[in-house]
Amino acid sequence: MRKIIRKFIKELKDHLECIESESSWIENQAVRCMGCREQKTATACKTPIGHICISCTESALKTLGEQEEIAAWHFSRFKDALSPEGEFRWRLAVLWRYKEAETLTSKQSPQDVDTLKRSLVQNLGYILPHPLAQCVRQTAYETCVAAGKDILPLLLEMCETEPWQFYSNIVLSAGKIAPGNKEVRALLEKAVQDPNPEVKGRVLTALSDYDTPWSRGILDKLRSDPDPLIRDIIPEVIARWESALAKASDQRLREKSDSPPMTGTEKIIDDVYDVDSLRKLYRCYLHHFSYKGKPSAGKMKKRELVRMFARVCSDEEHFRKFLSFLPEDVKKILNTLIWEGGERPVKKFEKKLNIKIITVKKIPFGNMTRDIVHDNYALFNVRRKFLYSGSNGSSYKYYLYLHDDLSKLFRKYLPLPSDAGLIPLDTIEKSDFTYEDKDQIISQIKLFHSYVHQGNLAFSKSTGKILVSSLRQMVSYCNIGEFYDDKDKLLQYMKTRLIIDFLVNAGKEPIDNPLEFLKKLFTDFFIGKASGGYKLNELLYHLKGIHNLRSGYHEQSHRKNERVVRTSLWALVKKLPVSQWISIENLLHYCFYRDVSLEIVSKGFAERYLSFNRGYEEDGGYSGYEQVNIVPALYRDALLTPFIKGVMFLFAGFGVLDIAYDLPENEHLREKDSKYLSIFDGLKYIRMTKRGAYVTGLTDGYDVEIREEEATAILDENRLMITMKGRDRLKTLALEKIGKRISDNCYKVDYSSFLKECYSKQDIRQKIKMFRERISSEPPRIWREFIDKILDRTDPVNIRKTMNVYKLKPDKELITLVAKDEILKRYILKAENYHILVDSKNLSRVKARLEEFGYFTDNIP
């Protein structure tokens, strides 16, 4: 579907002149839209690629507007786009991204900001005879409301009663922004007397969230209005006011009540549900638990409803009875949200279960909509995501989720699902890739370790990340078999990155026994005292804001998370059956159902600081993205699941696990312009290896034949030359650090080559140590003398901290005085280019002697 949408938008981009031309449009005719692929009766644009309905046209223009690099625009282009001659594509792009346009204009030409604002207001009355004109007015209205009181003075100043579209949108915008403002009230009172019902309807829409005696007086004036649409909308406005009043009343009662403080369960329910949702639950289910018969839901206060529901949730028998009253479709949704977690699109539930959860009702005036959650589904929380504004009002996508605390509350009364335990598999489904280390790491770990710790890696100065060219060189030199051989830059060198990052903890000491080294490396990290270096939260590559974890305050606050999660992961891996496959879905369910402590980042921090650009596509053909914070409803799917999979890939990189996996793909959550959210999304199965069992302590021994490359380094007894016989990449690494290659197997060593990349005495000692460990512990005499000279010549000059340097002015008499005066010659050392050096203890003597000849020196203390 995504490819179809992209192709459609790409093709449409070549025919935007059709959209601009009024003659290309047809109204209310049967067409097959090339965007949404539906047969429908609609207003549509005829283009060379076929008919495109107005909704898909607006969606495509929104996508193109998001792709436009308006940061490179000159401010005059914004004004031109909003002028009467502006094209729809640019006009809507600027309206949708008005805040950016205003910010850029304020930087380029501050005096033109007012002109830009006026152009925005003028678009409230855009009335060209074109189907997209309504979309322009609606978007301009929403932009004005978003601008708030900053745009209000211009709305009042520019208000005119003709054309009526302009007038009604001015009334609606001003009324939504500041209905309590005196000038706005005068405007609304005047609009109520307008003979056009569209104008009066906008007044009602503007006041739908503003309940005061003054606004009720406005409603009273309209109760006898001759237009039935005006009379019909009044009860809806009053219902909205009463609902808001009930919520406020319950809040005040909670604050003033002398009743006992809320229990933990009551507080959860009070935080999760508003009074409307609790009244719906009461009407459908909770009335069975009322001790007072069945009073009207409208008469029940929120505190009463909270206590009633808390009583149900605090007793297993009551809760099971509560479940028995739920319809089957509600039970299915409840089980999905409790055990699978996260948020799920409402449309998927509606389609799968053939039900209607939410009805979107259009308010007749102002293109406003009202979402009505049907009573049966009031148990669930709803999130609404804005998509775009159009001629038929704003479009949204809806998600259902269950608050995490509520899910835990319900879960304790429900039996664990069948896959709550780890289920070994005899066979697995075919996957694109299978990675089995087969003891390669045992032969390679020395080389990897030396390569990482001998300074062979290059890092970006701006980001601190390893350069791709450096990764490529390591893969080639160390002959690393990667997880993926893919052109996707994020997947390239994935295994190598994991190995490099983790080996930071290993220290620089040479490895004697590779198997024991691996065991110590992992046990020290997961259950030992290793606290510096690598952090597991670094596996959250896909999330923005991770750098906040590494600031002093946040890093300290997350140390406990890191320690707890390391311990939990170690215990989890030790529960895996040896040499048997486990599906990753089974492992995730095991963790989630049993609340294994894997919160590598606290939920509060994740919601506040972490996000990703969520890509989406709709049935109507709209494709785009939104920046989404990791709210509790997304924590499991967007953070925990990728994290756990990432840890499994890390274990596989060191041969602790075998893995079976596909190219990453994620149908539920995706990064924009991608098929997946995390590079780890492709994982399907894991299997504990026998070596992994030894490394994790499940078994006491592991037999392995360690095959290491063997070569001899022959040191010339008369010259500083080394010849390699055989192939040993470990020795070659060391040789390249101290010498210059002059042939395939011969290296020449001198002071320059030996001291390259040495920046301190410690670096020199480390290189000498490496020479003795990797090349020769008992070198010939010429080599011993060479090394001794390097040590003797370290720090050949000493810093004289008490010596001060001055430069003489080009004064001949002064220069002659300094050169010939016997007293000054005792205390001054002459340097090149008229520089002199004076010891601090002699400064006062030099200063006094110069003053005797009339040279006052303020810069000598």
Side-chain angles (χ1 to χ4, degrees):
M1 182 66 178
R2 181 182 290 270
K3 289 182 179 178
I4 293 173
I5 292 169
R6 285 179 179 168
K7 183 181 178 183
F8 155 65
I9 292 177
K10 185 177 181 181
E11 291 175 346
L12 181 62
K13 195 173 181 179
D14 296 328
H15 305 291
L16 293 176
E17 71 281 355
C18 298
I19 292 175
E20 297 292 331
S21 174
E22 182 190 348
S23 61
S24 300
W25 289 82
I26 56 175
E27 292 188 6
N28 300 322
Q29 292 191 27
V31 295
R32 175 172 173 76
C33 176
M34 296 303 295
C36 56
R37 309 284 165 164
E38 291 182 4
Q39 187 77 30
K40 59 171 75 172
T41 299
T43 296
C45 181
K46 186 177 181 181
T47 74
I49 62 172
H51 287 92
I52 304 166
C53 71
I54 191 167
S55 294
C56 287
T57 302
E58 293 166 2
S59 303
L61 291 176
K62 180 74 178 283
T63 300
L64 292 172
E66 289 172 346
Q67 295 172 353
E68 182 65 26
E69 294 290 338
I70 70 169
W73 283 24
H74 188 265
F75 71 89
S76 61
R77 193 172 172 188
F78 300 127
K79 185 176 66 173
D80 292 342
L82 296 180
S83 71
E85 296 77 25
E87 296 179 10
F88 280 103
R89 176 186 178 181
W90 307 126
R91 182 185 302 278
L92 287 168
V94 173
L95 288 173
W96 280 317
R97 300 174 65 179
Y98 176 80
K99 194 66 180 175
E100 295 173 69
E102 185 179 315
T103 301
L104 289 166
T105 301
S106 67
K107 292 178 180 178
Q108 295 180 23
S109 181
Q111 65 272 19
D112 285 293
V113 171
D114 183 70
T115 303
L116 186 69
K117 289 180 179 179
R118 290 178 181 275
S119 297
L120 165 63
V121 174
Q122 286 167 354
N123 275 266
L124 292 171
Y126 189 80
I127 54 171
L128 282 186
H130 193 289
L132 287 175
Q134 170 60 38
C135 178
V136 170
R137 295 195 297 273
Q138 176 67 21
T139 308
Y141 153 70
E142 291 172 356
T143 303
C144 284
V145 173
K149 293 185 178 180
D150 186 47
I151 202 76
L152 184 61
L154 281 180
L155 291 173
L156 296 171
E157 176 192 330
M158 297 174 65
C159 181
E160 295 179 1
T161 56
E162 295 294 339
W164 69 263
Q165 293 94 335
F166 182 60
Y167 184 42
S168 62
N169 282 326
I170 289 275
V171 167
L172 179 59
S173 301
K176 279 292 183 184
I177 292 170
N181 180 285
K182 289 183 179 180
E183 291 181 78
V184 173
R185 285 190 173 187
L187 174 67
L188 296 179
E189 288 170 353
K190 180 181 176 183
V192 168
Q193 301 170 14
D194 196 280
N196 190 332
E198 291 283 350
V199 175
K200 289 182 282 191
R202 297 298 200 280
V203 175
L204 289 173
T205 303
L207 297 178
S208 60
D209 294 316
Y210 186 68
D211 180 14
T212 65
W214 173 80
S215 52
R216 287 183 178 268
I218 295 290
L219 257 66
D220 288 339
K221 293 178 182 178
L222 294 174
R223 287 183 189 277
S224 57
D225 193 269
D227 193 298
L229 284 176
I230 298 296
R231 297 196 302 271
D232 290 345
I233 202 174
I234 289 175
E236 292 192 17
V237 174
I238 293 173
R240 194 177 178 103
W241 287 348
E242 290 178 348
S243 175
L245 183 64
K247 292 177 186 177
S249 176
D250 284 342
Q251 179 65 30
R252 286 194 296 272
L253 283 172
R254 281 201 306 274
E255 293 171 354
K256 295 180 180 180
S257 175
D258 294 328
S259 57
M262 288 187 178
T263 64
T265 301
E266 288 175 348
K267 190 162 190 329
I268 291 171
I269 292 170
D270 185 64
D271 289 343
V272 171
Y273 296 107
D274 59 25
V275 67
D276 285 342
S277 298
L278 287 169
R279 284 171 178 166
K280 289 179 180 180
L281 286 173
Y282 177 81
R283 283 194 291 269
C284 293
Y285 316 117
L286 292 179
H287 67 269
H288 295 287
F289 301 91
S290 174
Y291 295 148
K292 304 177 182 178
K294 187 181 177 182
S296 167
K299 295 181 180 179
M300 298 284 285
K301 301 297 183 185
K302 185 177 183 183
R303 186 63 187 269
E304 295 178 88
L305 294 165
V306 166
R307 283 182 173 175
M308 186 182 297
F309 197 14
R311 194 167 65 244
V312 170
C313 295
S314 301
D315 181 88
E316 183 173 359
E317 184 179 343
H318 281 355
F319 189 76
R320 292 192 179 281
K321 183 179 178 182
F322 173 77
L323 289 178
S324 70
F325 297 129
L326 302 182
E328 285 304 312
D329 57 311
V330 176
K331 288 180 183 177
K332 289 177 181 177
I333 297 173
L334 182 64
N335 273 298
T336 298
L337 298 180
I338 284 179
W339 297 114
E340 295 183 17
E343 58 179 28
R344 297 290 182 268
V346 168
K347 279 190 177 180
K348 287 192 175 180
F349 282 129
E350 290 181 335
K351 186 175 181 180
K352 181 179 179 181
L353 301 174
N354 194 26
I355 56 176
K356 192 67 177 173
I357 298 173
I358 294 176
T359 296
V360 180
K361 185 175 180 182
K362 189 175 185 302
I363 299 174
F365 301 98
N367 283 333
M368 310 293 286
T369 58
R370 184 182 176 194
D371 313 324
I372 301 172
V373 179
H374 293 265
D375 289 10
N376 283 357
Y377 309 101
L379 185 62
F380 311 116
N381 307 117
V382 178
R383 184 174 80 88
R384 184 174 81 163
K385 179 184 73 178
F386 173 78
L387 295 179
Y388 58 86
S389 298
S391 54
N392 294 318
S394 298
S395 181
Y396 299 89
K397 187 171 184 178
Y398 300 89
Y399 296 88
L400 287 187
Y401 68 97
L402 202 60
H403 194 280
D404 196 48
D405 290 333
L406 205 62
S407 182
K408 289 179 180 178
L409 198 62
F410 293 167
R411 197 182 304 165
K412 64 183 180 180
Y413 300 126
L414 299 175
L416 286 170
S418 58
D419 58 346
L422 295 176
I423 305 170
L425 302 172
D426 296 326
T427 59
I428 61 174
E429 295 177 2
K430 182 176 175 56
S431 59
D432 295 341
F433 309 94
T434 301
Y435 181 81
E436 297 172 328
D437 180 76
K438 296 180 179 178
D439 291 333
Q440 292 180 68
I441 193 72
I442 298 297
S443 302
Q444 295 176 315
I445 192 64
K446 281 188 177 182
L447 179 61
F448 294 169
H449 179 264
S450 295
Y451 196 98
V452 169
H453 287 287
Q454 287 182 12
N456 293 289
L457 300 172
F459 297 84
S460 166
K461 292 180 180 180
S462 59
T463 65
K465 295 180 180 179
I466 305 169
L467 296 176
V468 174
S469 58
S470 187
L471 287 168
R472 188 185 304 115
Q473 289 169 5
M474 181 173 175
V475 169
S476 176
Y477 188 87
C478 300
N479 194 27
I480 299 175
E482 275 292 336
F483 290 134
Y484 292 105
D485 181 16
D486 194 85
K487 294 180 181 179
D488 187 329
K489 291 182 180 180
L490 294 177
L491 300 181
Q492 285 180 338
Y493 315 122
M494 177 174 152
K495 175 184 167 184
T496 305
R497 290 179 193 272
L498 291 170
I499 289 173
I500 291 172
D501 290 344
F502 198 69
L503 281 178
V504 169
N505 290 285
K508 296 183 178 181
E509 293 301 315
I511 299 172
D512 294 325
N513 186 317
L515 182 61
E516 293 306 317
F517 169 80
L518 280 173
K519 183 171 184 176
K520 187 175 187 304
L521 176 67
F522 276 87
T523 52
D524 283 354
F525 181 79
F526 282 97
I527 56 175
K529 296 181 179 180
S531 58
Y534 184 68
K535 297 290 188 295
L536 288 172
N537 57 49
E538 293 178 31
L539 292 169
L540 301 174
Y541 302 128
H542 62 293
L543 298 179
K544 293 177 174 61
I546 284 295
H547 65 278
N548 289 302
L549 285 165
R550 291 161 200 134
S551 61
Y553 171 78
H554 293 300
E555 186 170 6
Q556 184 177 6
S557 67
H558 285 289
R559 283 177 185 171
K560 182 179 178 181
N561 295 64
E562 180 81 18
R563 288 196 301 271
V564 170
V565 170
R566 289 186 190 186
T567 303
S568 297
L569 284 169
W570 195 246
L572 174 66
V573 172
K574 293 179 76 168
K575 287 183 169 62
L576 297 175
V578 181
S579 300
Q580 289 184 290
W581 290 106
I582 296 288
S583 78
I584 190 63
E585 288 301 316
N586 180 205
L587 181 73
L588 292 171
H589 288 165
Y590 178 88
C591 296
F592 298 153
Y593 297 167
R594 298 172 186 275
D595 290 326
V596 177
S597 298
L598 296 174
E599 287 192 8
I600 191 63
V601 177
S602 70
K603 288 179 179 174
F605 180 91
E607 184 171 9
R608 197 175 305 115
Y609 294 107
L610 303 185
S611 65
F612 68 99
N613 290 326
R614 183 178 189 173
Y616 58 85
E617 57 186 59
E618 304 302 327
D619 295 338
Y622 178 70
S623 176
Y625 73 92
E626 62 170 339
Q627 183 169 330
V628 178
N629 279 58
I630 308 302
V631 294
L634 288 174
Y635 187 86
R636 181 186 291 188
D637 290 339
L639 191 149
L640 274 189
T641 295
F643 170 68
I644 295 169
K645 290 181 178 180
V647 173
M648 299 303 117
F649 269 100
L650 174 64
F651 278 122
F654 287 90
V656 176
L657 300 178
D658 293 332
I659 55 175
Y661 53 101
D662 293 336
L663 283 170
E665 192 164 342
N666 191 325
E667 290 296 329
H668 180 45
L669 295 175
R670 291 179 173 180
E671 179 66 27
K672 69 169 183 175
D673 300 326
S674 179
K675 293 182 178 180
Y676 56 85
L677 175 62
S678 162
I679 58 175
F680 306 120
D681 279 342
L683 186 61
K684 294 177 71 176
Y685 301 96
I686 60 173
R687 178 173 64 189
M688 172 71 79
T689 64
K690 290 181 180 179
R691 184 175 71 261
Y694 175 70
V695 168
T696 56
L698 291 174
T699 57
D700 296 328
Y702 179 70
D703 295 327
V704 60
E705 180 182 353
I706 301 175
R707 298 177 182 178
E708 296 184 352
E709 296 174 336
E710 293 184 5
T712 303
I714 302 172
L715 280 67
D716 196 301
E717 295 184 357
N718 301 308
R719 298 173 301 170
L720 296 177
M721 305 279 285
I722 302 175
T723 303
M724 280 279 288
K725 283 194 174 181
R727 184 173 186 266
D728 186 335
R729 285 171 293 177
L730 207 54
K731 277 189 171 65
T732 302
L733 269 181
L735 286 174
E736 289 177 347
K737 286 294 177 182
I738 66 167
K740 301 172 184 175
R741 188 194 290 264
I742 58 176
S743 68
D744 288 344
N745 63 344
C746 187
Y747 293 81
K748 178 184 177 181
V749 180
D750 56 25
Y751 292 118
S752 175
S753 66
F754 198 95
L755 293 175
K756 67 182 177 184
E757 297 178 6
C758 289
Y759 305 103
S760 66
K761 288 186 286 187
Q762 180 62 31
D763 290 341
I764 295 172
R765 294 190 189 102
Q766 192 67 35
K767 187 165 283 193
I768 293 171
K769 182 181 179 184
M770 178 195 69
F771 174 84
R772 288 169 175 160
E773 290 172 347
R774 303 285 189 210
I775 299 172
S776 176
S777 58
E778 297 182 5
R781 180 179 174 182
I782 188 175
W783 291 91
R784 295 197 301 272
E785 291 176 350
F786 173 71
I787 290 173
D788 289 342
K789 283 184 179 180
I790 287 176
L791 291 173
D792 290 342
R793 293 177 179 181
T794 302
D795 288 337
V797 294
N798 296 319
I799 298 174
R800 286 282 301 275
K801 294 182 179 179
T802 61
M803 194 61 72
N804 301 275
V805 179
Y806 296 94
K807 184 175 182 179
L808 300 175
K809 287 183 177 180
D811 182 321
K812 289 183 180 181
E813 292 185 17
L814 173 64
I815 294 169
T816 302
L817 176 67
V818 170
K820 295 183 177 181
D821 185 78
E822 293 299 326
I823 295 176
L824 288 175
K825 285 167 66 176
R826 284 183 223 161
Y827 306 124
I828 290 177
L829 296 175
K830 292 183 284 293
E832 293 291 328
N833 197 21
Y834 303 114
H835 284 87
I836 61 172
L837 289 77
V838 183
D839 196 301
S840 296
K841 66 182 181 181
N842 297 321
L843 284 173
S844 59
R845 294 186 179 96
V846 171
K847 182 176 182 179
R849 183 61 176 167
L850 288 173
E851 287 178 357
E852 290 178 16
F853 292 92
Y855 293 103
F856 179 76
T857 51
D858 190 41
N859 55 1
I860 294 180

